[in-house]
Amino acid sequence: MTHYRAVAAFFLLFAVLVSATAEAGMYSWTDDKGAIHFTDDVHKIPEEYRQGDKRFKKYRSARPPSSLPLLEKPVPSSYSPGISGAREYVVPMISTDSGNFLVEVTFNNRVKANLMVDTGASLVTISGRLAKKLGYRFGSKAPQIPFTTAGGVVWMPMLALDNVKIGGAGVDLVEASVNDHLGEIDGLLGMSFLGDFRMEMDKSRSQMILRPIGNPSDRQWAGKPGLWWETRFSGYVRKIKDFQAEAKTMQQSGHPMAGNIERMVGFYEDLHSKLDQVASRAGVPMLHRSYP
């Protein structure tokens, strides 16, 4: 099932959260069992770890340079009349002492959080804490997929976020996994969001630049070119078929988690149905759609 296993190296990554003041920061400490803890409140750290302990570390907040442009800016467009103007979005990133970057993300048009940029992660991943804040609850019948971690394979719930936005760049129906073991980290910004754009990272200026996929002359429906619709539809179809095949194999072998994979089939069938409804309303031609 290696093609289902999203990158899980984030368990070992350090991160800091965006601070409202230049003096604020993020702290980590390692307990006697070797577990790493994160907090933005130094008073939550046990006293024995605060004074001269090598296992205690403070991360300084890093604000974007004052010379950064606005979160989004228009780009001269060569689009024909009636076609959405070409745009690029320049998003400030927050650099950390560990060499990673954070960006402010808005979920479902109402909840903001700071996610670490991870182009190696196939999915957006959010903490269980953030999922609850967004109103998601998971019962025993929630779809789950396996992730390979340092401690072995763990099964994590999946959800479809209504909308994910950074700066002015937004994506609807974003697949995301939920990880209850991220500590103080809000999550990872992976390719289920970033894959909708042509992305550049200017680390020297702490900027992420997102541009639409396709060519400026491409016809668009609901602000997306035909290539986007084809890629999204075919991606769902491929995952439906892959999970169907995997569920059948697991059922035949009597695998106790076969039901989870069956629910993943339903998860992607539901996403495909929602996308089809949007495409129908937008008038997307059938040549840009595909079905199981």
Side-chain angles (χ1 to χ4, degrees), residues 22-88:
E23 291 76 23
M26 191 73 183
Y27 306 87
S28 72
W29 79 96
T30 305
D31 62 25
D32 293 334
K33 296 182 179 179
I36 300 173
H37 305 266
F38 294 88
T39 182
D40 57 359
D41 184 352
V42 70
H43 299 290
K44 293 182 180 180
I45 303 173
E47 182 66 32
E48 61 267 28
Y49 296 109
R50 296 188 209 169
Q51 302 296 330
D53 195 312
K54 293 182 179 180
R55 294 173 292 180
F56 167 74
K57 184 175 182 180
K58 178 180 179 179
Y59 300 88
R60 296 186 305 276
S61 293
R63 289 190 172 192
S66 58
S67 60
L68 286 180
L70 298 176
L71 292 185
E72 59 179 83
K73 64 178 183 180
V75 176
S77 174
S78 59
Y79 274 38
S80 304
I83 304 299
S84 300
R87 301 182 69 88
E88 73 174 17

Short mmCIF file of all heavy atoms in Angstrom, two decimals, residues 22-88:
data_model
loop_
_atom_site.label_atom_id
_atom_site.label_comp_id
_atom_site.label_asym_id
_atom_site.label_seq_id
_atom_site.Cartn_x
_atom_site.Cartn_y
_atom_site.Cartn_z
N ALA A 22 7.19 40.92 18.29
CA ALA A 22 8.53 40.51 17.89
C ALA A 22 9.22 39.72 18.98
O ALA A 22 10.11 38.93 18.72
CB ALA A 22 9.35 41.75 17.54
N GLU A 23 8.81 39.93 20.26
CA GLU A 23 9.50 39.26 21.36
C GLU A 23 8.97 37.86 21.61
O GLU A 23 9.63 37.03 22.23
CB GLU A 23 9.35 40.09 22.64
CG GLU A 23 10.10 41.40 22.62
CD GLU A 23 9.39 42.44 21.76
OE1 GLU A 23 8.18 42.31 21.57
OE2 GLU A 23 10.07 43.37 21.29
N ALA A 24 7.72 37.58 21.18
CA ALA A 24 7.13 36.29 21.48
C ALA A 24 7.84 35.20 20.71
O ALA A 24 8.54 35.45 19.75
CB ALA A 24 5.65 36.31 21.12
N GLY A 25 7.63 33.95 21.13
CA GLY A 25 8.31 32.87 20.45
C GLY A 25 7.68 31.53 20.76
O GLY A 25 6.62 31.44 21.35
N MET A 26 8.38 30.50 20.35
CA MET A 26 7.93 29.13 20.53
C MET A 26 9.00 28.38 21.29
O MET A 26 10.19 28.66 21.13
CB MET A 26 7.70 28.48 19.15
CG MET A 26 7.00 27.16 19.22
SD MET A 26 5.26 27.35 19.61
CE MET A 26 4.79 25.62 19.68
N TYR A 27 8.61 27.44 22.14
CA TYR A 27 9.55 26.70 22.97
C TYR A 27 9.34 25.20 22.77
O TYR A 27 8.24 24.74 22.47
CB TYR A 27 9.33 27.03 24.45
CG TYR A 27 9.37 28.50 24.77
CD1 TYR A 27 8.23 29.27 24.67
CD2 TYR A 27 10.55 29.13 25.17
CE1 TYR A 27 8.24 30.63 24.96
CE2 TYR A 27 10.58 30.49 25.46
CZ TYR A 27 9.43 31.23 25.36
OH TYR A 27 9.46 32.56 25.64
N SER A 28 10.41 24.46 22.92
CA SER A 28 10.31 23.00 22.92
C SER A 28 11.16 22.45 24.05
O SER A 28 12.13 23.08 24.47
CB SER A 28 10.76 22.41 21.58
OG SER A 28 12.16 22.51 21.43
N TRP A 29 10.78 21.30 24.54
CA TRP A 29 11.62 20.60 25.51
C TRP A 29 11.42 19.10 25.34
O TRP A 29 10.39 18.65 24.84
CB TRP A 29 11.30 21.05 26.94
CG TRP A 29 10.07 20.44 27.55
CD1 TRP A 29 10.00 19.35 28.37
CD2 TRP A 29 8.72 20.90 27.40
NE1 TRP A 29 8.71 19.11 28.73
CE2 TRP A 29 7.90 20.05 28.17
CE3 TRP A 29 8.13 21.96 26.71
CZ2 TRP A 29 6.52 20.21 28.23
CZ3 TRP A 29 6.76 22.12 26.78
CH2 TRP A 29 5.98 21.26 27.54
N THR A 30 12.42 18.35 25.71
CA THR A 30 12.39 16.90 25.60
C THR A 30 12.30 16.31 27.00
O THR A 30 13.14 16.59 27.86
CB THR A 30 13.66 16.37 24.90
OG1 THR A 30 13.79 17.03 23.64
CG2 THR A 30 13.58 14.87 24.70
N ASP A 31 11.28 15.50 27.23
CA ASP A 31 11.11 14.94 28.57
C ASP A 31 12.02 13.73 28.79
O ASP A 31 12.81 13.36 27.91
CB ASP A 31 9.64 14.58 28.83
CG ASP A 31 9.12 13.50 27.88
OD1 ASP A 31 9.93 12.70 27.35
OD2 ASP A 31 7.90 13.44 27.67
N ASP A 32 11.92 13.13 29.96
CA ASP A 32 12.81 12.02 30.33
C ASP A 32 12.60 10.78 29.46
O ASP A 32 13.47 9.91 29.40
CB ASP A 32 12.60 11.66 31.80
CG ASP A 32 13.06 12.78 32.73
OD1 ASP A 32 13.94 13.56 32.31
OD2 ASP A 32 12.53 12.89 33.84
N LYS A 33 11.47 10.69 28.79
CA LYS A 33 11.19 9.55 27.93
C LYS A 33 11.59 9.83 26.47
O LYS A 33 11.39 8.99 25.60
CB LYS A 33 9.71 9.19 27.99
CG LYS A 33 9.25 8.72 29.37
CD LYS A 33 7.78 8.34 29.36
CE LYS A 33 7.33 7.86 30.74
NZ LYS A 33 5.89 7.50 30.74
N GLY A 34 12.13 11.03 26.21
CA GLY A 34 12.59 11.36 24.87
C GLY A 34 11.54 11.99 23.98
O GLY A 34 11.80 12.28 22.81
N ALA A 35 10.34 12.25 24.53
CA ALA A 35 9.27 12.87 23.74
C ALA A 35 9.49 14.38 23.67
O ALA A 35 9.83 15.01 24.67
CB ALA A 35 7.91 12.56 24.34
N ILE A 36 9.29 14.96 22.48
CA ILE A 36 9.46 16.38 22.28
C ILE A 36 8.12 17.09 22.40
O ILE A 36 7.12 16.67 21.81
CB ILE A 36 10.08 16.68 20.90
CG1 ILE A 36 11.44 15.99 20.77
CG2 ILE A 36 10.22 18.18 20.67
CD1 ILE A 36 12.05 16.09 19.39
N HIS A 37 8.10 18.17 23.19
CA HIS A 37 6.88 18.94 23.41
C HIS A 37 7.08 20.36 22.90
O HIS A 37 8.18 20.90 22.99
CB HIS A 37 6.52 18.98 24.90
CG HIS A 37 6.40 17.63 25.52
ND1 HIS A 37 5.20 16.96 25.63
CD2 HIS A 37 7.34 16.80 26.07
CE1 HIS A 37 5.39 15.79 26.22
NE2 HIS A 37 6.68 15.67 26.49
N PHE A 38 6.00 20.97 22.38
CA PHE A 38 6.04 22.34 21.90
C PHE A 38 5.00 23.18 22.65
O PHE A 38 3.91 22.69 22.96
CB PHE A 38 5.73 22.42 20.40
CG PHE A 38 6.75 21.76 19.53
CD1 PHE A 38 6.67 20.41 19.22
CD2 PHE A 38 7.80 22.48 18.99
CE1 PHE A 38 7.60 19.79 18.41
CE2 PHE A 38 8.74 21.88 18.17
CZ PHE A 38 8.64 20.53 17.89
N THR A 39 5.31 24.44 22.89
CA THR A 39 4.35 25.37 23.49
C THR A 39 4.78 26.79 23.20
O THR A 39 5.96 27.07 22.96
CB THR A 39 4.26 25.16 25.02
OG1 THR A 39 3.27 26.06 25.54
CG2 THR A 39 5.60 25.44 25.70
N ASP A 40 3.80 27.72 23.17
CA ASP A 40 4.12 29.13 23.03
C ASP A 40 4.04 29.85 24.37
O ASP A 40 4.12 31.07 24.44
CB ASP A 40 3.20 29.81 22.00
CG ASP A 40 1.73 29.66 22.36
OD1 ASP A 40 1.42 29.02 23.39
OD2 ASP A 40 0.89 30.18 21.61
N ASP A 41 3.84 29.09 25.46
CA ASP A 41 3.75 29.65 26.81
C ASP A 41 4.83 29.01 27.67
O ASP A 41 4.75 27.83 28.03
CB ASP A 41 2.36 29.38 27.40
CG ASP A 41 2.17 30.02 28.77
OD1 ASP A 41 3.15 30.55 29.33
OD2 ASP A 41 1.04 29.99 29.27
N VAL A 42 5.86 29.78 28.01
CA VAL A 42 6.98 29.23 28.77
C VAL A 42 6.56 28.71 30.13
O VAL A 42 7.20 27.80 30.69
CB VAL A 42 8.09 30.31 28.91
CG1 VAL A 42 7.63 31.42 29.85
CG2 VAL A 42 9.40 29.70 29.39
N HIS A 43 5.47 29.22 30.67
CA HIS A 43 5.01 28.79 32.00
C HIS A 43 4.42 27.37 31.99
O HIS A 43 4.21 26.79 33.04
CB HIS A 43 3.98 29.78 32.54
CG HIS A 43 4.54 31.17 32.70
ND1 HIS A 43 5.48 31.49 33.66
CD2 HIS A 43 4.29 32.31 32.01
CE1 HIS A 43 5.79 32.77 33.56
NE2 HIS A 43 5.08 33.29 32.57
N LYS A 44 4.16 26.85 30.79
CA LYS A 44 3.66 25.48 30.69
C LYS A 44 4.78 24.45 30.71
O LYS A 44 4.53 23.25 30.78
CB LYS A 44 2.84 25.31 29.40
CG LYS A 44 1.54 26.11 29.39
CD LYS A 44 0.77 25.85 28.09
CE LYS A 44 -0.53 26.63 28.07
NZ LYS A 44 -1.29 26.39 26.82
N ILE A 45 6.03 24.94 30.65
CA ILE A 45 7.17 24.04 30.67
C ILE A 45 7.54 23.72 32.11
O ILE A 45 7.67 24.63 32.94
CB ILE A 45 8.38 24.69 29.97
CG1 ILE A 45 8.01 25.07 28.54
CG2 ILE A 45 9.59 23.77 29.98
CD1 ILE A 45 9.09 25.86 27.83
N PRO A 46 7.70 22.45 32.47
CA PRO A 46 8.10 22.10 33.84
C PRO A 46 9.36 22.84 34.25
O PRO A 46 10.29 23.03 33.45
CB PRO A 46 8.35 20.58 33.75
CG PRO A 46 7.47 20.13 32.61
CD PRO A 46 7.50 21.25 31.62
N GLU A 47 9.42 23.28 35.50
CA GLU A 47 10.51 24.11 35.99
C GLU A 47 11.88 23.49 35.76
O GLU A 47 12.84 24.19 35.41
CB GLU A 47 10.31 24.37 37.49
CG GLU A 47 11.36 25.27 38.12
CD GLU A 47 11.31 26.70 37.58
OE1 GLU A 47 10.21 27.14 37.23
OE2 GLU A 47 12.38 27.34 37.50
N GLU A 48 11.97 22.17 35.90
CA GLU A 48 13.28 21.52 35.80
C GLU A 48 13.87 21.61 34.39
O GLU A 48 15.06 21.36 34.19
CB GLU A 48 13.20 20.06 36.23
CG GLU A 48 12.26 19.18 35.41
CD GLU A 48 10.86 19.11 36.00
OE1 GLU A 48 10.44 20.08 36.68
OE2 GLU A 48 10.18 18.09 35.78
N TYR A 49 13.04 21.95 33.37
CA TYR A 49 13.54 22.03 32.01
C TYR A 49 13.84 23.46 31.58
O TYR A 49 14.32 23.69 30.48
CB TYR A 49 12.52 21.43 31.04
CG TYR A 49 12.27 19.96 31.26
CD1 TYR A 49 11.07 19.52 31.79
CD2 TYR A 49 13.24 19.01 30.94
CE1 TYR A 49 10.83 18.18 32.00
CE2 TYR A 49 13.01 17.66 31.14
CZ TYR A 49 11.81 17.26 31.68
OH TYR A 49 11.57 15.93 31.90
N ARG A 50 13.56 24.44 32.41
CA ARG A 50 13.69 25.85 31.98
C ARG A 50 15.07 26.43 32.20
O ARG A 50 15.47 27.36 31.51
CB ARG A 50 12.68 26.71 32.75
CG ARG A 50 11.24 26.40 32.47
CD ARG A 50 10.38 27.46 33.13
NE ARG A 50 9.07 26.94 33.49
CZ ARG A 50 8.21 27.56 34.26
NH1 ARG A 50 8.53 28.74 34.76
NH2 ARG A 50 7.04 27.03 34.55
N GLN A 51 15.81 25.92 33.16
CA GLN A 51 17.06 26.56 33.55
C GLN A 51 18.27 25.73 33.11
O GLN A 51 18.55 24.69 33.68
CB GLN A 51 17.11 26.76 35.08
CG GLN A 51 15.95 27.58 35.63
CD GLN A 51 15.96 29.00 35.11
OE1 GLN A 51 17.02 29.56 34.82
NE2 GLN A 51 14.78 29.61 34.99
N GLY A 52 18.95 26.19 32.07
CA GLY A 52 20.22 25.58 31.68
C GLY A 52 20.14 24.14 31.22
O GLY A 52 21.13 23.43 31.26
N ASP A 53 18.96 23.68 30.81
CA ASP A 53 18.81 22.30 30.35
C ASP A 53 18.96 22.27 28.83
O ASP A 53 18.27 22.99 28.11
CB ASP A 53 17.44 21.75 30.75
CG ASP A 53 17.37 20.24 30.62
OD1 ASP A 53 17.78 19.72 29.56
OD2 ASP A 53 16.92 19.58 31.57
N LYS A 54 19.85 21.42 28.33
CA LYS A 54 20.10 21.34 26.89
C LYS A 54 18.87 20.83 26.13
O LYS A 54 18.79 20.97 24.92
CB LYS A 54 21.30 20.44 26.61
CG LYS A 54 22.63 21.00 27.12
CD LYS A 54 23.77 20.08 26.77
CE LYS A 54 25.10 20.66 27.26
NZ LYS A 54 26.24 19.77 26.93
N ARG A 55 17.96 20.23 26.87
CA ARG A 55 16.77 19.72 26.22
C ARG A 55 15.70 20.80 26.02
O ARG A 55 14.64 20.54 25.45
CB ARG A 55 16.18 18.56 27.03
CG ARG A 55 17.08 17.34 27.08
CD ARG A 55 16.55 16.29 28.03
NE ARG A 55 16.62 16.75 29.42
CZ ARG A 55 16.22 16.04 30.46
NH1 ARG A 55 15.71 14.83 30.27
NH2 ARG A 55 16.32 16.50 31.69
N PHE A 56 15.98 22.01 26.48
CA PHE A 56 15.06 23.13 26.35
C PHE A 56 15.57 24.08 25.27
O PHE A 56 16.75 24.38 25.20
CB PHE A 56 14.96 23.88 27.68
CG PHE A 56 14.29 25.22 27.58
CD1 PHE A 56 12.93 25.32 27.41
CD2 PHE A 56 15.04 26.38 27.64
CE1 PHE A 56 12.31 26.56 27.31
CE2 PHE A 56 14.44 27.63 27.55
CZ PHE A 56 13.07 27.72 27.38
N LYS A 57 14.67 24.55 24.40
CA LYS A 57 15.08 25.46 23.34
C LYS A 57 13.99 26.48 23.06
O LYS A 57 12.80 26.16 23.08
CB LYS A 57 15.37 24.67 22.04
CG LYS A 57 15.90 25.54 20.90
CD LYS A 57 16.29 24.69 19.70
CE LYS A 57 16.87 25.55 18.58
NZ LYS A 57 17.25 24.75 17.40
N LYS A 58 14.41 27.71 22.82
CA LYS A 58 13.50 28.77 22.41
C LYS A 58 13.74 29.09 20.95
O LYS A 58 14.87 29.24 20.52
CB LYS A 58 13.69 30.04 23.24
CG LYS A 58 12.78 31.18 22.79
CD LYS A 58 12.99 32.44 23.63
CE LYS A 58 12.08 33.55 23.12
NZ LYS A 58 12.23 34.80 23.91
N TYR A 59 12.62 29.20 20.20
CA TYR A 59 12.69 29.58 18.79
C TYR A 59 12.23 31.03 18.67
O TYR A 59 11.17 31.39 19.15
CB TYR A 59 11.76 28.70 17.94
CG TYR A 59 12.10 27.24 18.01
CD1 TYR A 59 11.53 26.44 19.00
CD2 TYR A 59 12.96 26.66 17.10
CE1 TYR A 59 11.84 25.09 19.07
CE2 TYR A 59 13.26 25.32 17.16
CZ TYR A 59 12.70 24.53 18.15
OH TYR A 59 12.99 23.21 18.22
N ARG A 60 13.01 31.85 18.02
CA ARG A 60 12.64 33.25 17.84
C ARG A 60 11.62 33.37 16.71
O ARG A 60 11.73 32.69 15.69
CB ARG A 60 13.86 34.10 17.49
CG ARG A 60 14.89 34.16 18.58
CD ARG A 60 15.98 35.14 18.20
NE ARG A 60 16.57 34.83 16.90
CZ ARG A 60 17.54 33.94 16.74
NH1 ARG A 60 18.01 33.27 17.79
NH2 ARG A 60 18.04 33.71 15.55
N SER A 61 10.67 34.29 16.90
CA SER A 61 9.72 34.56 15.83
C SER A 61 10.42 35.31 14.72
O SER A 61 11.26 36.16 14.96
CB SER A 61 8.56 35.42 16.35
OG SER A 61 7.79 34.69 17.27
N ALA A 62 10.07 34.99 13.51
CA ALA A 62 10.69 35.65 12.36
C ALA A 62 9.60 36.30 11.52
O ALA A 62 8.79 35.61 10.92
CB ALA A 62 11.46 34.64 11.51
N ARG A 63 9.53 37.61 11.53
CA ARG A 63 8.52 38.31 10.76
C ARG A 63 8.96 38.45 9.31
O ARG A 63 10.16 38.55 9.04
CB ARG A 63 8.29 39.71 11.35
CG ARG A 63 7.56 39.69 12.68
CD ARG A 63 7.16 41.09 13.05
NE ARG A 63 6.30 41.09 14.22
CZ ARG A 63 5.61 42.15 14.62
NH1 ARG A 63 5.70 43.27 13.95
NH2 ARG A 63 4.84 42.09 15.68
N PRO A 64 8.00 38.49 8.39
CA PRO A 64 8.37 38.71 6.99
C PRO A 64 9.02 40.08 6.84
O PRO A 64 8.70 41.01 7.58
CB PRO A 64 7.01 38.68 6.26
CG PRO A 64 6.08 37.99 7.20
CD PRO A 64 6.58 38.31 8.58
N PRO A 65 9.97 40.24 5.92
CA PRO A 65 10.59 41.53 5.69
C PRO A 65 9.55 42.59 5.37
O PRO A 65 8.55 42.31 4.71
CB PRO A 65 11.51 41.28 4.48
CG PRO A 65 11.73 39.81 4.48
CD PRO A 65 10.49 39.19 5.03
N SER A 66 9.78 43.82 5.83
CA SER A 66 8.81 44.89 5.60
C SER A 66 8.67 45.22 4.13
O SER A 66 7.72 45.88 3.72
CB SER A 66 9.25 46.14 6.37
OG SER A 66 10.55 46.55 5.96
N SER A 67 9.63 44.76 3.31
CA SER A 67 9.59 45.07 1.89
C SER A 67 8.69 44.12 1.10
O SER A 67 8.50 44.28 -0.09
CB SER A 67 11.00 44.98 1.29
OG SER A 67 11.54 43.68 1.46
N LEU A 68 8.10 43.11 1.79
CA LEU A 68 7.25 42.17 1.09
C LEU A 68 6.05 42.89 0.49
O LEU A 68 5.49 43.80 1.10
CB LEU A 68 6.74 41.09 2.05
CG LEU A 68 7.75 40.02 2.47
CD1 LEU A 68 7.08 39.04 3.40
CD2 LEU A 68 8.31 39.29 1.26
N PRO A 69 5.59 42.48 -0.69
CA PRO A 69 4.40 43.09 -1.29
C PRO A 69 3.14 42.63 -0.56
O PRO A 69 3.20 41.84 0.36
CB PRO A 69 4.43 42.55 -2.73
CG PRO A 69 5.15 41.26 -2.61
CD PRO A 69 6.19 41.47 -1.53
N LEU A 70 2.01 43.13 -1.01
CA LEU A 70 0.74 42.70 -0.45
C LEU A 70 0.55 41.21 -0.69
O LEU A 70 1.19 40.61 -1.54
CB LEU A 70 -0.41 43.49 -1.07
CG LEU A 70 -0.37 45.01 -0.82
CD1 LEU A 70 -1.52 45.68 -1.59
CD2 LEU A 70 -0.45 45.32 0.66
N LEU A 71 -0.42 40.60 0.03
CA LEU A 71 -0.62 39.17 -0.08
C LEU A 71 -0.95 38.74 -1.50
O LEU A 71 -0.66 37.63 -1.90
CB LEU A 71 -1.76 38.74 0.86
CG LEU A 71 -1.45 38.84 2.36
CD1 LEU A 71 -2.62 38.27 3.15
CD2 LEU A 71 -0.17 38.11 2.71
N GLU A 72 -1.61 39.58 -2.24
CA GLU A 72 -1.89 39.23 -3.62
C GLU A 72 -1.74 40.46 -4.49
O GLU A 72 -1.91 41.58 -4.04
CB GLU A 72 -3.29 38.66 -3.78
CG GLU A 72 -4.40 39.60 -3.34
CD GLU A 72 -5.76 38.99 -3.54
OE1 GLU A 72 -6.19 38.23 -2.67
OE2 GLU A 72 -6.37 39.26 -4.58
N LYS A 73 -1.39 40.25 -5.72
CA LYS A 73 -1.24 41.38 -6.63
C LYS A 73 -1.61 40.96 -8.03
O LYS A 73 -1.36 39.83 -8.45
CB LYS A 73 0.20 41.90 -6.62
CG LYS A 73 1.24 40.91 -7.13
CD LYS A 73 2.63 41.53 -7.13
CE LYS A 73 3.65 40.55 -7.71
NZ LYS A 73 5.00 41.11 -7.74
N PRO A 74 -2.26 41.84 -8.80
CA PRO A 74 -2.61 41.50 -10.17
C PRO A 74 -1.37 41.40 -11.04
O PRO A 74 -0.36 42.04 -10.78
CB PRO A 74 -3.49 42.68 -10.61
CG PRO A 74 -3.88 43.38 -9.35
CD PRO A 74 -2.75 43.13 -8.39
N VAL A 75 -1.45 40.58 -12.04
CA VAL A 75 -0.39 40.46 -13.04
C VAL A 75 -0.99 40.87 -14.37
O VAL A 75 -2.13 40.50 -14.67
CB VAL A 75 0.12 39.01 -13.12
CG1 VAL A 75 1.14 38.86 -14.22
CG2 VAL A 75 0.71 38.61 -11.79
N PRO A 76 -0.28 41.63 -15.19
CA PRO A 76 -0.83 42.01 -16.50
C PRO A 76 -1.34 40.79 -17.23
O PRO A 76 -0.65 39.78 -17.37
CB PRO A 76 0.38 42.64 -17.21
CG PRO A 76 1.21 43.17 -16.10
CD PRO A 76 1.06 42.20 -14.97
N SER A 77 -2.57 40.86 -17.68
CA SER A 77 -3.23 39.69 -18.25
C SER A 77 -3.36 39.79 -19.76
O SER A 77 -3.64 40.84 -20.31
CB SER A 77 -4.63 39.54 -17.63
OG SER A 77 -5.33 38.51 -18.25
N SER A 78 -3.13 38.65 -20.41
CA SER A 78 -3.36 38.58 -21.85
C SER A 78 -4.62 37.77 -22.14
O SER A 78 -4.83 37.33 -23.26
CB SER A 78 -2.16 37.91 -22.53
OG SER A 78 -1.96 36.60 -22.02
N TYR A 79 -5.47 37.57 -21.11
CA TYR A 79 -6.69 36.80 -21.30
C TYR A 79 -7.66 37.56 -22.20
O TYR A 79 -7.70 38.78 -22.21
CB TYR A 79 -7.37 36.55 -19.95
CG TYR A 79 -6.86 35.33 -19.22
CD1 TYR A 79 -5.50 35.01 -19.25
CD2 TYR A 79 -7.72 34.51 -18.50
CE1 TYR A 79 -5.02 33.92 -18.57
CE2 TYR A 79 -7.23 33.41 -17.82
CZ TYR A 79 -5.89 33.12 -17.86
OH TYR A 79 -5.43 32.03 -17.18
N SER A 80 -8.47 36.81 -22.92
CA SER A 80 -9.49 37.42 -23.75
C SER A 80 -10.61 37.97 -22.88
O SER A 80 -10.78 37.54 -21.74
CB SER A 80 -10.06 36.36 -24.72
OG SER A 80 -9.04 35.79 -25.49
N PRO A 81 -11.40 38.92 -23.38
CA PRO A 81 -12.53 39.44 -22.61
C PRO A 81 -13.46 38.30 -22.20
O PRO A 81 -13.73 37.39 -22.96
CB PRO A 81 -13.22 40.39 -23.61
CG PRO A 81 -12.13 40.80 -24.55
CD PRO A 81 -11.24 39.59 -24.68
N GLY A 82 -13.93 38.38 -20.97
CA GLY A 82 -14.83 37.34 -20.47
C GLY A 82 -14.11 36.20 -19.78
O GLY A 82 -14.75 35.36 -19.16
N ILE A 83 -12.80 36.15 -19.90
CA ILE A 83 -12.02 35.11 -19.23
C ILE A 83 -11.36 35.71 -18.00
O ILE A 83 -10.89 36.84 -18.02
CB ILE A 83 -10.93 34.54 -20.17
CG1 ILE A 83 -11.59 34.04 -21.46
CG2 ILE A 83 -10.16 33.44 -19.49
CD1 ILE A 83 -12.58 32.94 -21.26
N SER A 84 -11.35 34.97 -16.91
CA SER A 84 -10.80 35.49 -15.66
C SER A 84 -9.37 35.98 -15.85
O SER A 84 -8.58 35.35 -16.56
CB SER A 84 -10.80 34.39 -14.58
OG SER A 84 -12.12 33.95 -14.34
N GLY A 85 -9.03 37.13 -15.24
CA GLY A 85 -7.70 37.68 -15.36
C GLY A 85 -6.65 36.82 -14.70
O GLY A 85 -6.90 36.18 -13.69
N ALA A 86 -5.48 36.77 -15.31
CA ALA A 86 -4.38 36.00 -14.72
C ALA A 86 -3.92 36.71 -13.46
O ALA A 86 -3.78 37.92 -13.42
CB ALA A 86 -3.23 35.89 -15.72
N ARG A 87 -3.64 35.93 -12.42
CA ARG A 87 -3.19 36.52 -11.17
C ARG A 87 -2.06 35.66 -10.62
O ARG A 87 -1.98 34.46 -10.88
CB ARG A 87 -4.31 36.58 -10.13
CG ARG A 87 -5.51 37.39 -10.57
CD ARG A 87 -6.56 37.44 -9.48
NE ARG A 87 -6.09 38.22 -8.35
CZ ARG A 87 -6.24 39.54 -8.24
NH1 ARG A 87 -6.81 40.21 -9.22
NH2 ARG A 87 -5.82 40.19 -7.18
N GLU A 88 -1.21 36.30 -9.86
CA GLU A 88 -0.29 35.54 -9.05
C GLU A 88 -0.44 36.04 -7.63
O GLU A 88 -0.84 37.19 -7.39
CB GLU A 88 1.16 35.68 -9.52
CG GLU A 88 1.80 37.02 -9.23
CD GLU A 88 3.27 37.03 -9.61
OE1 GLU A 88 3.71 36.14 -10.37
OE2 GLU A 88 3.98 37.94 -9.14
#
